[in-house]
Amino acid sequence: MFKTVEWKNNSVVMLDQTLLPGKVVYRKFSDYRQVADAIKKLLVRGAPAIGVAAAMGCALGALGIKAAGLGEFRREFKKVSALMASTRPTAINLFWAIERMNRAVDSHCGGVEGLKKRLIAEAKNIHDEDIKVNRRMGAYGGRLIKNNSTVLTHCNAGALATAGYGTALGVVRGAVDAGKNVRVFADETRPVLQGARLTAWELMRDGIDCTLITDNMAGYMMKKGLIDCVVVGADRIAANGDVANKIGTYSVAVLARAHKIPFYVAAPKSTMDLRIKSGDSIPIEERSADEVTFIGGVRIAPDGVKTKNPAFDVTPARLVSAIITEGGVVRAPYGRNIKKLFP
Ligand code: MRU
C-alpha cells in the first residue's frame, strides 16, 4: 500500500495528489510553511489525512523553534499551529489534530528538546491511530455491505484521504476482506475530480472492481437498479448527525432517499464536532473560481464568468441511514446515539 503522508528523517513526505493519476511523485518538506501550503493546494486532502499532515507540520515547526525556555517555545508554537489551522476551514480533523498537539505543549513540564521529541511522537501516533481506526470502521461497515452488491461513492474517502485504508473505501475494503464480492461506482466529483483521479486510481491498484461515472449519471444508475447502497466519508459531523462532505454529497443523498437506497457515512469519531449543534453552523470552504472554469489546466468557461465554488455541502441527518465509526454503527436518533460514542 502506498503512503499518503509520512514522517521521515525529520521531514514530512507526502504523495502529491494533484498529479495523480498521471504521475506518482513524493514531495519532501522540511519547513512547516510548505506543509501548510501543500494542505491548501490539495497535495494532501481528505479530512483525516489533513489532520495527520497538520500534526506533522506542527512537529516540523516545533523542530525549528529556537527558544530559551518553555514559555518562549509555547508562544512560538502558537504561531505555527495558527498557520496550520488557517489552511482549510471545514475538515474538523485539522483542528482536532492541532488541538492534540497544543495539549501536548500545554501539559509538558520538562525541557524544550524533550517537548520537541514528544511532539514528533504525538504526530506519529495520530498517523498510526488513524490506520487502526479505519480498519475497525471497515470491519463494522463491511457487515452492512451485502455480497454481490454495488456501492456508489462520491469524492475520495479512501487510503489517499487518510493515513491508510480509508473510511468509505475502508468499508468497501472491509467487505472485500470478509470475502464479499463488491463493485464500486465512483462519481467523478467535479470540480476537482477526486473520484475520477483518486478513487478510480486507488481501487484499480487494489484490484477492486470500479466503474467511473460522471456526477449527473448517479440518478439514472439508481433508477436502473444498478446501485445497492451509497457509502461516503465526512469532513465534519454535527452533534445532531448532519454531515458535511464534498460538494454533491447532498444531491446523492436526496437521490438515494428517492430510490430507497441506504445512504451510509463512514467517519472516525475525530470527524464529529459535538460543539456544533447542527450542520447550519459548519463553515463551508469557498475555493478559487479557477477550479470551476478550468479542467486539467484547460479553460472550459468564458473568461470573467461569475462562479460559485463551495467545496462542501451538508446532508441533513434525516437522509443518513447510518454513520459507521470505529466505535460501531450509529443510527437515528443521532443526537442521542452520537453522544454515547463519547462516554
Ligand atoms: O476537498 P477534499 O478532497 O479534501 O474533500 C475530501 C472529502 O470530502 C472526503 O469525502 C472527506 O474528507 C472524507 S475523507 C476520509
Side-chain angles (χ1 to χ4, degrees):
M1 184 55 96
F2 54 85
K3 295 239 166 55
T4 312
V5 52
E6 195 184 4
W7 182 267
K8 219 173 180 178
N9 304 325
N10 287 345
S11 54
V12 179
V13 177
M14 60 176 76
L15 178 54
D16 184 346
Q17 299 191 29
T18 63
L19 301 178
L20 289 174
K23 286 186 197 147
V24 178
V25 175
Y26 284 87
R27 308 250 181 232
K28 185 174 166 193
F29 301 121
S30 39
D31 184 323
Y32 75 97
R33 284 165 284 235
Q34 296 172 311
V35 176
D37 196 48
I39 295 173
K40 267 191 200 158
K41 293 185 173 148
L42 310 185
L43 274 74
V44 62
R45 31 67 50 203
I50 292 170
V52 172
M56 291 184 175
C58 285
L60 209 52
L63 274 185
I65 295 174
K66 291 183 183 48
L70 213 46
E72 192 185 350
F73 181 91
R74 286 192 175 122
R75 280 192 296 280
E76 290 304 309
F77 187 77
K78 288 272 171 267
K79 293 181 199 161
V80 172
S81 66
L83 180 74
M84 287 298 157
S86 70
T87 52
R88 297 200 67 192
T90 306
I92 187 70
N93 303 62
L94 171 76
F95 306 99
W96 170 85
I98 293 170
E99 243 173 72
R100 264 181 75 158
M101 299 300 278
N102 271 308
R103 267 202 303 276
V105 171
D106 293 343
S107 64
H108 191 75
C109 40
V112 165
E113 289 314 306
L115 177 52
K116 289 181 182 177
K117 287 200 185 105
R118 188 172 160 188
L119 288 169
I120 294 170
E122 185 67 345
K124 285 184 182 168
N125 284 342
I126 291 173
H127 174 278
D128 296 352
E129 283 167 23
D130 185 56
I131 301 176
K132 285 187 198 138
V133 156
N134 292 339
R135 285 192 174 274
R136 276 210 292 279
M137 233 180 323
Y140 281 122
R143 292 180 206 151
L144 298 175
I145 312 292
K146 297 196 177 92
N147 191 24
N148 291 321
S149 63
T150 302
V151 174
L152 175 74
T153 193
H154 189 74
C155 193
N156 173 267
L160 285 167
T162 62
Y165 205 69
T167 58
L169 298 188
V171 167
V172 169
R173 290 192 169 97
V176 170
D177 290 349
K180 293 178 189 169
N181 177 28
V182 183
R183 289 173 300 273
V184 175
F185 270 47
D187 280 348
E188 63 172 348
T189 319
R190 276 282 288 147
V192 183
L193 300 170
Q194 288 93 333
R197 295 187 303 105
L198 309 176
T199 296
W201 182 79
E202 76 164 81
L203 289 179
M204 286 175 77
R205 272 179 64 108
D206 264 13
I208 295 176
D209 189 320
C210 170
T211 302
L212 177 64
I213 58 171
T214 61
D215 296 331
N216 50 1
M217 293 175 190
Y220 177 71
M221 298 300 161
M222 288 182 186
K223 187 151 182 290
K224 296 275 281 179
L226 296 175
I227 308 292
D228 297 296
C229 69
V230 176
V231 188
V232 295
D235 280 79
R236 195 185 293 223
I237 299 177
N240 71 344
D242 289 350
V243 175
N245 191 47
K246 180 51 56 193
I247 191 76
T249 302
Y250 170 59
S251 319
V252 176
V254 170
L255 284 171
R257 177 56 55 94
H259 293 88
K260 299 188 173 55
I261 292 167
F263 179 90
Y264 300 123
V265 174
K269 282 159 58 177
S270 53
T271 301
M272 294 180 171
D273 186 355
L274 301 194
R275 286 177 278 205
I276 280 190
K277 276 198 191 133
S278 83
D280 296 341
S281 315
I282 298 177
I284 300 294
E285 177 181 5
E286 275 284 337
R287 293 187 61 87
S288 138
D290 287 358
E291 289 183 351
V292 177
T293 54
F294 286 81
I295 297 183
V298 176
R299 174 175 282 288
I300 51 137
D303 196 5
V305 68
K306 284 199 281 183
T307 59
K308 289 260 188 217
N309 189 14
F312 302 96
D313 59 25
V314 176
T315 298
R318 67 185 158 75
L319 297 179
V320 178
S321 311
I323 303 177
I324 302 155
T325 77
E326 72 272 35
V329 175
V330 179
R331 293 186 190 263
Y334 290 107
R336 208 168 61 210
N337 292 338
I338 286 177
K339 248 192 223 146
K340 287 189 198 154
L341 290 170
F342 301 88

